[in-house]
């Protein structure tokens, strides 16, 4: 299994530069979508990004709905994975590499209207390959939790110099 170096510091630098500008969160979110095309297809917008903390919003629109008139289960999974991934990547210690190995989603209520996914995590010091759970909760306009996304990250210490 391959591990990927965390882009967290680059994401935080870009966020800090753009989020202060009018429309900067939207611009950041579109750039993130270009870096991660599948996540970009969701059309979510990063509302907040700090080390180990991410808030991502999703507008309710036809493109993300199911046949029952609510936000599709996989759109919710994608939204939670995006928030948990941003929180995790920005919390990784320098040089630590990580990859998601498991994703579990609990659907608690039909999701309608604007949604917010939030994730907070503190990553451990990594001396050997280890796993870390990262939770994202997705809330609707009434602040009800509509879904919980649990991502398991396999973390590895920095690769030895070649």
């Amino acid at each position: 299994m391959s591990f990927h170096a965390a882009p967290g510091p680059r994401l935080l630098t870009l966020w800090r530069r753009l989020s202060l500008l009018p429309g900067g969160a939207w611009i950041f979110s579109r750039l993130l979508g270009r870096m991660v095309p599948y996540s970009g297809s969701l059309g979510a917008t990063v509302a907040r990004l700090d080390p180990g903390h991410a808030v991502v919003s999703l507008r309710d629109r036809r493109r993300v709905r199911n046949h029952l008139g609510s936000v599709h289960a996989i759109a919710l999974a994608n939204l939670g994975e995006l928030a948990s991934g941003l929180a995790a990547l920005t919390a990784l210690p320098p040089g630590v590499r990580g990859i998601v190995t498991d994703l579990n989603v609990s659907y608690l209520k039909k999701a309608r209207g604007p949604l917010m996914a939030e994730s907070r995590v503190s990553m451990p010091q990594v001396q050997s390959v280890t796993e870390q759970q990262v939770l994202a909760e997705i809330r609707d306009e009434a602040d009800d939790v509509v879904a919980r996304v649990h991502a398991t990250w396999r973390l590895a210490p920095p690769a030895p110099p070649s």
Side-chain angles (χ1 to χ4, degrees):
M1 175 173 295
S2 69
F3 289 88
H4 300 287
R10 287 185 317 228
L11 289 170
L12 285 169
T13 298
L14 187 60
W15 172 256
R16 288 175 181 141
R17 286 182 184 158
L18 291 175
S19 65
L20 299 174
L21 303 173
W26 183 87
I27 294 167
F28 174 87
S29 300
R30 301 299 76 77
L31 290 172
L32 178 64
R34 291 183 61 96
M35 289 189 286
V36 188
Y38 183 77
S39 293
S41 69
L42 186 61
T45 300
V46 177
R48 181 172 181 170
L49 187 61
D50 298 302
H53 182 218
V55 178
V56 182
S57 66
L58 181 68
R59 290 183 309 110
D60 182 353
R61 60 199 192 286
R62 187 179 193 308
R63 180 178 195 168
V64 297
R65 285 189 158 230
N66 60 25
H67 65 288
L68 302 172
S70 58
V71 177
H72 196 282
I74 297 303
L76 293 171
N78 288 341
L79 180 64
E81 192 275 338
L82 179 58
S84 66
L86 286 169
L89 289 172
T90 59
L92 285 175
V96 171
R97 300 165 294 148
I99 189 169
V100 173
T101 60
D102 189 53
L103 197 65
N104 183 296
V105 184
S106 298
Y107 301 100
L108 307 171
K109 177 184 170 187
K110 281 188 181 180
R112 292 192 170 108
L115 302 173
M116 290 291 248
E118 183 168 18
S119 182
R120 288 182 192 271
V121 65
S122 295
M123 290 296 200
Q125 290 300 317
V126 178
Q127 305 302 322
S128 61
V129 174
T130 188
E131 291 192 342
Q132 175 72 27
Q133 296 290 314
V134 181
L135 168 68
E137 285 192 332
I138 303 171
R139 296 178 179 274
D140 62 14
E141 232 175 353
D143 204 33
D144 292 333
V145 177
V146 298
R148 286 191 180 96
V149 177
H150 296 267
T152 302
W153 282 74
R154 182 163 297 146
L155 305 175
S162 319

